[in-house]
Amino acid sequence: MTLLTYALCVTALGFVGEPPLLAGVAVFSLILATIGRVGRRFVFMMLRVIIPIAIPLFVIQSLFNPIGRTVLFQLGPLAVKAEGLAFATSIVSRLVALVSAYFLLVLVVHPRDLVTSLESRGMSPRIGYLILSTMRLIPQIQRTAETILDAQRSRGLRTKGNLLLRFRAYLPLMGPVVMGSLASLEVRAMALEARGFNLGGRKTYLRLPPEQPVDRLLRRGLVAATLALVVISVAVSGV
């Protein structure tokens, strides 16, 4: 719950924060990920998501943003403008801060613990199951696709080469992956029915994530600090 509060606070800061503040938030998320022993995976996931977005964004905004007036330097017929560069920096800093906070939450907190904590605080079990199944869906599809791909490779299927060859190799995977996902949905529905998912009454849990008094203090401190930073950012931007 503390990391979820942190992610929500970073989301609020993402709307009003300036690039230096948001860069500091991303660095703080990296420090927390390192403490949680997921620093390497955190950096790898961040680079995979941010670089493909940041590079085209900086190129397009710095060269072709219509609000650009101040030319920093000339690249032949194109000019890099300060306004477009500042806009790209603002967007990328917000994206980095938000993605870092939610990647930290996903890497450190098990989805089951997150949903259990939310349900124990009054959230509907249906919403909890929706969140949990969504968070588990992509990894499950990836594992299924990798298993099918390994089986096809053992039978002599070529998966390396030009783009057309890779597309032809991956196309036969779609049918088994989709059918396997539909079959798993039916199994999950039967399991939920067997466990009395639709029955009324208060639910009990086999395991509740432990919570210390310091967690409550941290959440209150995060909310108070976020409100203060939002007020300061709004006041500074208004001035």
Side-chain angles (χ1 to χ4, degrees):
M1 293 304 298
T2 304
L3 283 177
L4 177 61
T5 303
Y6 173 72
L8 295 176
C9 289
V10 173
T11 303
L13 288 177
F15 289 99
V16 298
E18 295 297 324
L21 173 62
L22 298 175
V25 169
V27 172
F28 184 66
S29 298
L30 174 59
I31 294 173
L32 293 178
T34 304
I35 295 173
R37 300 179 182 180
V38 293
R40 183 175 298 180
R41 293 178 59 194
F42 177 86
V43 172
F44 180 70
M45 291 173 63
M46 288 290 296
L47 292 178
R48 288 187 61 183
V49 171
I50 298 301
I51 289 179
I53 298 175
I55 293 178
L57 184 63
F58 270 103
V59 172
I60 294 173
Q61 293 297 331
S62 60
L63 296 177
F64 305 109
N65 195 315
I67 67 173
R69 295 292 183 270
T70 306
V71 178
L72 296 178
F73 52 90
Q74 200 79 23
L75 296 175
L78 302 175
V80 177
K81 302 179 179 65
E83 291 81 3
L85 197 60
F87 180 79
T89 302
S90 176
I91 296 298
V92 171
S93 63
R94 297 175 195 276
L95 179 64
V96 169
L98 292 174
V99 171
S100 66
Y102 284 97
F103 276 178
L104 177 67
L105 175 66
V106 171
L107 289 174
V108 174
V109 180
H110 195 281
R112 180 186 62 247
D113 293 338
L114 177 62
V115 172
T116 302
S117 297
L118 291 173
E119 289 182 358
S120 65
R121 287 167 171 80
M123 187 182 73
S124 171
R126 290 180 174 83
I127 299 177
Y129 175 74
L130 180 63
I131 296 174
L132 185 61
S133 59
T134 302
M135 296 178 72
R136 289 182 172 179
L137 180 62
I138 295 178
Q140 179 184 356
I141 292 177
Q142 288 178 339
R143 288 193 298 268
T144 303
E146 290 173 359
T147 302
I148 297 173
L149 189 60
D150 289 340
Q152 296 295 341
R153 285 172 180 163
S154 66
R155 295 167 184 160
L157 178 68
R158 293 181 58 190
T159 59
K160 296 183 179 180
N162 56 39
L163 185 61
L164 180 60
L165 181 61
R166 293 185 180 185
F167 178 76
R168 291 175 59 185
Y170 281 92
L171 189 61
L173 299 178
M174 297 299 104
V177 169
V178 173
M179 296 303 296
S181 299
L182 293 177
S184 67
L185 288 177
E186 183 179 1
V187 173
R188 289 187 181 188
M190 295 173 62
L192 290 175
E193 187 66 25
R195 295 170 183 172
F197 184 77
N198 293 321
L199 296 178
R202 184 175 178 84
K203 306 292 183 181
T204 57
Y205 302 95
L206 182 63
R207 175 182 177 272
L208 279 175
E211 182 175 88
Q212 304 296 329
V214 67
D215 292 322
R216 302 187 186 94
L217 294 177
L218 285 173
R219 289 198 293 269
R220 293 170 184 172
L222 284 170
V223 173
T226 302
L227 291 176
L229 289 172
V230 168
V231 171
I232 293 173
S233 299
V234 172
V236 170
S237 62
V239 174

